[in-house]
Amino acid sequence: MEELLSTFVRSIFVENMIFAYYLGMCSFLAVSKNVKTALGLGMAVTFILVCTLPINYMLENYVLKEGALSWLGAPFAEVNLSFLSLLIFIAIIASFTQLVEMVVEKYAPALYASLGIFLPLIAVNCAILGGSLFMQQKALANVGVATVYGLGSGIGWLLAIVGMAAIREKLAYSDIPKSLKGLGITFIITGLMGIGFMCFSGLKI
Amino acid sequence: MGLLSSKNKEILVGPLSKNNPVIVQMLGICSALAVTSKLEPSIVMGLSVTAVVAFANVIISLLRHTIPNRIRIIVQLVVCAALVTIISEVLKAFAYDVNKQLSVFVGLIITNCILMGRLEAFALGNGPWESFLDGIGNGLGYGIILVIVGFFRELLGSGTLLGIQVVPQVFYDFGYVNNGLMILPPMALIVVAVIIWVHRSRNKDLQEN
């Protein structure tokens, strides 16, 4: 229980996908122009992370890792398929995004309309693949921890993009040097927010 | 048409400044920021991305008439994933230390938007040779930004370049101190912002309103 809670808090604040690893920056910069769409995209990303991380965790530990196939019998005990992990992970993520898109379109057309083109774009959002790769690198303890890690990273991403969108809405009224407008000032603000988030780095539970 | 006609030269040189993937097209920002705290990983990352973009462009361009339109994203992802797996195994074999520093970001080249962006925007509609040049140009444009950011962050943050001490000891004796903030992640964003600022004040037509 304690491990779950600490993974959750760490993945939101200390190891925030955007401010600590810059994952998902492209959509972060492109979609943070108003709070409503930012919230929609953030929720979609969180959802996909929560769904794909446990699946990839199972695949990693029961199929891909060195010795992971030993449940099939002795001859498979030394098979190491880890070089395939990139391909498998991205295939799972892409097909899952496609699946979610079709389910949402069929059963919740209102939500589908409000998310619009963001759903298919999630497949190439680096935060999702990054989540799976960090899961592999950190060798998380079990499926529960992996799921909570996915949830925490997603919420951290959501917090960051909604905060950024709120600031950018106010930015319309400020006087910025001409050549810094738009992309430039957004980078600087993200940097400052990142410095702010660094104060969480000593956080321990 | 020659191998390097003026149109092809434009394809190759355009992405270096006027049409730079990172600071103008806003593609591939994630990895541009994360790996640049030192100069060496920046150079390796730039070269890896150049190789992957160039070859992925050629492959997709050769296959462009045979790929059904509806599943093209999956096909592109598989081609990229295969190339990235090759690059990552090569790095593991010949540059193990750098590979450790780059950690997950080698794998993340797959989801680097430069890749998908160029495949979608260019390779699907052009021949293999043009696509190859476009890939090289965009990879180098991306690499240039990485090298500039890596150069300043390593110089100001640790006083070294490629691991060699360049700030003389005399400076430290007079009380010069390395700026530790430059090593930390947020400064990458601010260095890129400064590059954008300089670039846009020289190219007025890129300014936003």
Side-chain angles (χ1 to χ4, degrees), chain B residues 122-200:
Chain B
F122 199 90
L124 280 177
N126 289 282
W129 174 243
E130 283 90 355
S131 304
F132 181 70
L133 288 180
D134 180 76
I136 297 276
N138 277 287
L140 289 181
Y142 168 85
I144 281 184
I145 300 294
L146 254 73
V147 168
I148 297 176
V149 178
F151 176 82
F152 282 111
R153 284 182 75 192
E154 184 170 358
L155 183 68
L156 299 175
S158 356
T160 56
L161 281 179
L162 290 171
I164 303 160
Q165 190 73 31
V166 286
V167 176
Q169 188 60 39
V170 187
F171 279 37
Y172 291 102
D173 294 342
F174 280 104
Y176 174 83
V177 180
N178 285 330
N179 184 354
L181 193 62
M182 292 302 283
I183 303 281
L184 297 171
M187 283 313 285
L189 288 158
I190 294 177
V191 174
V192 174
V194 172
I195 296 178
I196 292 173
W197 194 356
V198 172
H199 187 253
R200 290 208 173 165

Side-chain angles (χ1 to χ4, degrees), chain B residues 54-68:
Chain B
F55 287 113
N57 256 355
V58 172
I59 294 174
I60 294 294
S61 161
L62 287 172
L63 293 175
R64 69 185 191 275
H65 297 303
T66 49
I67 303 174

Side-chain angles (χ1 to χ4, degrees), chain A residues 124-180:
Chain A
V124 286
N125 187 323
C126 11
I128 315 273
L129 183 62
S132 286
L133 291 175
F134 277 123
M135 173 272 293
Q136 185 187 29
Q137 199 184 41
K138 289 181 178 174
L140 297 175
N142 54 48
V143 182
V145 178
T147 316
V148 166
Y149 180 70
L151 181 66
S153 311
I155 292 179
W157 202 86
L158 176 99
L159 262 182
I161 193 171
V162 171
M164 187 68 206
I167 295 177
R168 277 181 88 170
E169 278 186 0
K170 296 282 174 223
L171 217 58
Y173 308 107
S174 33
D175 193 15
I176 303 162
K178 239 192 163 149
S179 37
L180 204 55

Side-chain angles (χ1 to χ4, degrees), chain A residues 68-81:
Chain A
L69 280 173
S70 54
W71 55 272
L72 274 181
F76 293 95
E78 295 197 343
V79 179
N80 182 1
L81 291 177

Side-chain angles (χ1 to χ4, degrees), chain A residues 21-23 25-26 29 83 86-87 124 126 130 133-134 137 178-184 187-188 190-191 194-195 198, chain B residues 23 26 29-30 33-34 81 85 103-105 107-108 111 113 116 184-186 188-189 192-193 197 200-201 207-208:
Chain A
Y21 299 114
Y22 315 110
L23 295 179
M25 278 299 281
C26 311
L29 291 174
F83 65 94
L86 276 179
L87 263 172
V124 286
C126 11
L133 291 175
F134 277 123
Q137 199 184 41
K178 239 192 163 149
S179 37
L180 204 55
K181 257 186 193 159
L183 193 53
F187 269 88
I188 292 186
T190 316
I195 295 180
M198 267 164 49
Chain B
I23 59 180
M26 266 169 81
I29 295 162
C30 332
L33 299 169
T85 307
S103 77
V104 299
F105 290 99
L108 286 175
T111 49
C113 346
M116 296 305 277
L184 297 171
L189 288 158
V192 174
W197 194 356
R200 290 208 173 165
S201 44
Q207 291 172 0
E208 296 169 43

